[in-house]
Amino acid sequence: MEIPKYVGAVLQALESAGCEAWCVGGCVRDALSGRLPEDWDVATAARPEETLAVFGSRALPTGLRHGTVTVKTEGGPVEVTTYRIDGAYRDHRRPESVAFTSSLEEDLRRRDFTVNAMAWSLRGELRDPWGGQEDLRRGILRCVGDPDRRFQEDALRILRGLRFAAVLGLEIEPGTAEALRRNREGLRDIAPERIQAELFKLLPGRKAAEVLRGWPEVFGVFWPELLEMVGFDQRNRHHCYDVWEHTLHALAAAPEEPVLRCTMLLHDVGKPASFTLDEQGVGHFYGHPAAGRELADGMLRRLKCAAEFRETVVRLVEWHDKDIPRTDKAVGRALRVLGEEDLRRLILVKRADNLGQAPAYRDRQRELDKAEEILDRLLAKEACFSLKQLAVKGGDLLALGLSGPAVGRALEALLDKVTDGELPNERETLLAYLRGDLGADGKEDGK
């Protein structure tokens, strides 16, 4: 394992000042498993004021209460935290107090999982008092010490554990798994923003579907709507799985990207409330995309998701079951409403949804190929699908005597004609068409 030069310089500066310092936590875990660490954290025997003195103007007191100083380097910020012992936890979130210590082992003792409780020195020495390296080799996720205590200290560790299982492919050790399930209600005390951050790191994981399958009751603590899908028989020949299993197969078939994975998790959340049986005993879910849209919107709002993310997921949930005929006109209209990025996302959503259905109905992939070919062709010939691309602008219509809302209505009408292929996107042709629709007084006929 090689420590980056800018991180090594931080370690060297602290050691030159007589203060022991080690790389700790996730960066050590990732480096040992052959992954590129996203960031590097340093733990040190130096007190916060000593760290500030060592690095001077490059040091920012970002978390002095917990002993953390952020050091600015050419390679990026490095968090330097004093070895500490956490006091009692009262709210499943954070310790009421911390006590600084000179012992690295004491600092590692307070950490969540063994694979995160390792330290690496500038000279290549590994400190691993809890067997994290062996657990990593065996693909095991195990709490440091008593798992009940770890999860009761900070309930977010429950989701962190599931995230490590989904992203790193680690199998949760039985004792840790039992404690994780047993303490899941502690998640009710965790801020929605923190749950959101962990969830959207978990969903892109290669084993996300497996984790969701094994732990629905954990996710149901903050999203109880998911539990309604578990075991819900669809009673329909198009489906060989219940609603939850279909959801998980569709999620696994989607690209490993938060928006798409979240869409697949929620795309059929409206099905249980929309279920009906016909006279032949066949199940139907009329209106489930609209019902799902409302549910998904509320669920994402509860987790304080960013508006753009929420609106995108909700839009895709609403559109996931809409049939888009494989014609230039239909694809062009969808392109106009959704834009290129979301229409491409919708095609991926439809592909994943289809791959979660009964095998006999998976030939729809060819129809989606056709839709994508049409989309590519329309874009290649610079098809007009937005007002920005329209050859006439508001000023042109004002010059014709239109004003107020009539301008917007006329532009939308022209865009309809162009999108549907009834008119070319040429300024003079569009103005001539519009002049033909105007009365002698310069106002829209019939208005």
Side-chain angles (χ1 to χ4, degrees):
M1 184 176 84
E2 185 174 348
I3 296 174
K5 290 182 179 180
Y6 72 95
V7 179
V10 172
L11 296 173
Q12 185 62 62
L14 288 164
E15 291 190 353
S16 296
C19 304
E20 182 180 273
W22 299 71
C23 290
V24 294
C27 60
V28 179
R29 176 200 68 224
D30 288 345
L32 287 175
S33 58
R35 296 164 58 92
L36 182 66
E38 292 184 7
D39 47 44
W40 290 79
D41 294 326
V42 170
T44 180
R47 296 301 194 260
E49 60 274 13
E50 294 177 280
T51 302
L52 289 169
V54 168
F55 295 101
S57 61
R58 294 195 293 136
L60 302 175
T62 49
L64 291 184
R65 180 173 177 269
H66 294 96
T68 300
V69 172
T70 299
V71 178
K72 295 181 291 184
T73 76
E74 293 181 357
V78 177
E79 283 196 354
V80 178
T81 302
T82 303
Y83 301 154
R84 72 178 198 233
I85 301 171
D86 292 339
Y89 286 73
R90 300 296 183 191
D91 56 6
H92 295 131
R93 288 180 291 179
R94 62 181 72 87
E96 289 189 342
S97 62
V98 300
F100 299 137
T101 176
S102 59
S103 169
L104 172 64
E105 280 69 21
E106 286 293 334
D107 183 79
L108 297 177
R109 183 190 300 274
R110 68 178 177 82
R111 297 176 182 266
D112 51 8
F113 303 104
T114 62
V115 295
N116 296 332
M118 297 182 284
W120 189 263
S121 78
L122 192 57
R123 288 160 298 283
E125 178 187 356
L126 178 70
R127 288 282 182 88
D128 181 20
W130 300 97
Q133 186 177 30
E134 177 62 15
D135 282 349
L136 195 61
R137 188 189 66 77
R138 295 170 56 209
I140 297 295
L141 188 71
R142 181 166 54 93
C143 279
V144 172
D146 178 10
D148 282 306
R149 179 178 177 181
R150 294 285 86 85
F151 295 133
Q152 288 164 14
E153 288 171 341
D154 183 355
L156 191 65
R157 289 170 172 167
I158 293 169
L159 276 187
R160 280 171 55 82
L162 295 180
R163 192 240 299 179
F164 293 140
V167 175
L168 304 179
L170 300 176
E171 182 178 343
I172 302 176
E173 175 268 334
T176 296
E178 292 170 10
L180 188 154
R181 203 181 307 272
R182 192 162 50 238
N183 290 282
R184 64 185 183 276
E185 290 297 323
L187 286 169
R188 298 190 189 280
D189 294 329
I190 301 300
E193 295 87 348
R194 296 181 76 203
I195 289 177
Q196 175 214 126
E198 286 298 330
L199 179 64
F200 295 153
K201 290 177 183 177
L202 181 158
L203 288 179
R206 58 188 174 89
K207 289 195 172 183
E210 293 179 33
V211 168
L212 287 159
R213 180 177 292 112
W215 311 87
E217 67 272 42
V218 173
F219 299 93
V221 171
F222 55 87
W223 274 356
E225 295 88 345
L226 299 180
L227 300 180
E228 297 296 318
M229 296 191 283
V230 178
F232 198 105
D233 188 349
Q234 305 204 62
R235 306 282 291 275
N236 190 293
R237 69 180 186 278
H238 291 89
H239 289 282
C240 54
Y241 305 116
D242 64 43
V243 176
W244 183 237
E245 274 302 312
H246 161 71
T247 294
L248 299 182
H249 280 79
L251 183 146
E256 296 174 355
E257 191 271 326
V259 165
L260 293 173
R261 286 292 180 87
C262 186
T263 298
M264 299 323 299
L265 179 60
L266 303 182
H267 80 285
D268 276 351
V269 70
K271 274 190 169 181
S274 307
F275 180 68
T276 58
L277 275 177
D278 65 20
E279 294 178 354
Q280 287 73 44
V282 176
H284 301 281
F285 300 94
Y286 301 119
H288 81 273
R293 182 194 191 287
E294 295 305 311
L295 287 170
D297 186 67
M299 294 163 75
L300 294 169
R301 285 180 186 274
R302 289 206 305 272
L303 291 192
K304 311 294 185 185
C305 294
E308 181 179 0
F309 182 96
R310 172 176 52 79
E311 290 166 3
T312 299
V313 170
V314 165
R315 186 181 307 117
L316 293 172
V317 168
E318 182 178 22
W319 276 71
H320 84 272
D321 204 40
K322 285 188 181 182
D323 180 48
I324 302 174
R326 271 62 67 191
T327 65
D328 286 18
K329 181 176 179 178
V331 174
R333 286 205 164 204
L335 183 60
R336 176 185 167 184
V337 175
L338 297 175
E340 180 186 356
E341 183 177 24
D342 277 358
L343 182 50
R344 291 197 183 278
R345 282 171 168 162
L346 180 63
I347 291 172
L348 291 170
V349 165
K350 286 179 169 291
R351 286 190 186 281
D353 190 18
N354 180 235
L355 291 172
Q357 296 173 346
Y361 297 93
R362 293 179 189 169
D363 57 353
R364 293 179 183 174
Q365 297 295 318
R366 290 196 294 272
E367 295 301 311
L368 292 168
D369 290 340
K370 293 177 184 177
E372 201 158 25
E373 289 168 6
I374 293 171
L375 172 59
D376 289 338
R377 188 174 69 251
L378 290 175
L379 291 170
K381 66 179 186 180
E382 299 183 346
C384 176
F385 61 89
S386 71
L387 290 176
K388 180 190 291 187
Q389 295 170 297
L390 198 63
V392 297
K393 307 300 178 188
D396 297 314
L397 275 62
L398 292 172
L400 290 179
L402 291 178
S403 62
V407 173
R409 287 196 296 269
L411 288 171
E412 290 290 344
L414 289 176
L415 185 57
D416 279 341
K417 294 290 184 182
V418 172
T419 301
D420 291 349
E422 296 177 21
L423 287 173
N425 188 29
E426 299 171 354
R427 183 174 182 276
E428 291 307 319
T429 302
L430 296 177
L431 290 177
Y433 171 81
L434 196 58
R435 279 193 294 267
D437 277 358
L438 295 179
D441 60 356
K443 295 182 180 179
E444 293 173 286
D445 286 336
K447 299 299 181 186

